[in-house]
Amino acid sequence: MVTGVVDVDTAVRSIRLGASDYLTKPFNLDEVVFTVERTLEKRRLINENLEYQLDLERKVDERTRELRQKSDEVERLFRELKIAFEKINATYDTTLEALMEALDARDTETQGHSRRVAEYTVAVARRMGIDEPELTQFRWGALLHDVGKIGIPDAILRKPGPLDADEWLVMMQHPELGRRILSSVRFLEGAVPVVYCHQSGSTARGIRAD
């Protein structure tokens, strides 16, 4: 603002209305040049700051979109893995159930026993607050708890009458046999302790399982 009016109120109002400075007549040309240069520099800094802010906002928007895309991709992969895991578990379940049905068929007195034990085990484990993936390992361990009977001779396993003391010693080795059979199967790592320890009550009575 260049004016011949020397008035403080006018100067303040001019600045408030957007003037960058207030010069009164008669003015000094060097002062005018200095004021204009200072105003241009101020304007340049304002423009640079505005451009920086706009650029920063664009970068934030781009980064936000990238993070959303990554998040969506992670969620998609998680869903796919969950579905794949469920399919694998279903396949494992089918295979293990077929194996145990074959074993139960070998022991005529325990038809369906392994499946019932697995169902009871899952029910108890859930009441105890056990969730996946441990719950599946408990189920598999219960389903396979008698897998070691594969190594028990038919003469003992299918004996129609009571077992004598020596025969019981042989029969009670099946948890250890089951542990040995399953120890090399990596996906059953969590199920092995269930198989190995399921006769601990008998062991406590003096009949060793190992």
Side-chain angles (χ1 to χ4, degrees), residues 79-111:
R79 288 194 298 269
E80 291 178 356
L81 286 173
K82 184 178 180 181
I83 293 172
F85 180 75
E86 290 174 350
K87 289 181 178 178
I88 290 173
N89 277 353
T91 301
Y92 286 158
D93 274 343
T94 302
T95 302
L96 297 180
E97 287 179 5
L99 172 63
M100 295 318 300
E101 285 177 3
L103 182 60
D104 285 350
R106 182 167 173 251
D107 188 353
T108 57
E109 294 185 359
T110 59
Q111 293 284 336

Side-chain angles (χ1 to χ4, degrees), residues 23-139:
L23 300 177
T24 58
K25 297 177 182 178
F27 53 77
N28 181 282
L29 186 59
D30 290 337
E31 183 180 0
V32 173
V33 171
F34 174 76
T35 300
V36 171
E37 289 177 346
R38 185 178 61 187
T39 300
L40 291 174
E41 177 63 16
K42 180 181 178 181
R43 183 63 179 174
R44 184 186 66 80
L45 293 175
I46 291 174
N47 288 337
E48 287 183 357
N49 185 57
L50 179 60
E51 182 60 30
Y52 174 77
Q53 290 179 348
L54 293 175
D55 183 60
L56 183 60
E57 290 176 359
R58 286 193 295 268
K59 289 180 179 179
V60 170
D61 289 340
E62 291 175 0
R63 185 58 177 166
T64 300
R65 285 194 298 272
E66 290 177 359
L67 290 175
R68 286 176 180 171
Q69 291 174 354
K70 293 293 185 182
S71 178
D72 291 343
E73 183 177 355
V74 169
E75 290 181 2
R76 179 182 61 79
L77 290 174
F78 177 78
R79 288 194 298 269
E80 291 178 356
L81 286 173
K82 184 178 180 181
I83 293 172
F85 180 75
E86 290 174 350
K87 289 181 178 178
I88 290 173
N89 277 353
T91 301
Y92 286 158
D93 274 343
T94 302
T95 302
L96 297 180
E97 287 179 5
L99 172 63
M100 295 318 300
E101 285 177 3
L103 182 60
D104 285 350
R106 182 167 173 251
D107 188 353
T108 57
E109 294 185 359
T110 59
Q111 293 284 336
H113 168 71
S114 297
R115 185 188 298 273
R116 290 192 298 273
V117 170
E119 291 173 355
Y120 282 124
T121 299
V122 169
V124 173
R126 282 176 174 160
R127 289 293 296 272
M128 293 173 63
I130 296 173
D131 297 319
E132 296 293 356
E134 289 81 7
L135 186 62
T136 294
Q137 291 293 324
F138 271 85
R139 169 176 163 72

Side-chain angles (χ1 to χ4, degrees), residues 157-169:
L157 186 66
R158 309 185 70 173
K159 183 178 179 180
L163 302 180
D164 60 30
D166 291 336
E167 290 169 338
W168 266 115
L169 288 176

Side-chain angles (χ1 to χ4, degrees), residues 171-188:
M171 177 65 79
M172 295 309 299
Q173 291 177 6
H174 77 270
E176 168 62 16
L177 293 174
R179 185 188 69 81
R180 293 177 185 174
I181 291 171
L182 301 180
S183 61
S184 61
V185 183
R186 186 164 186 174
F187 78 89
L188 292 174

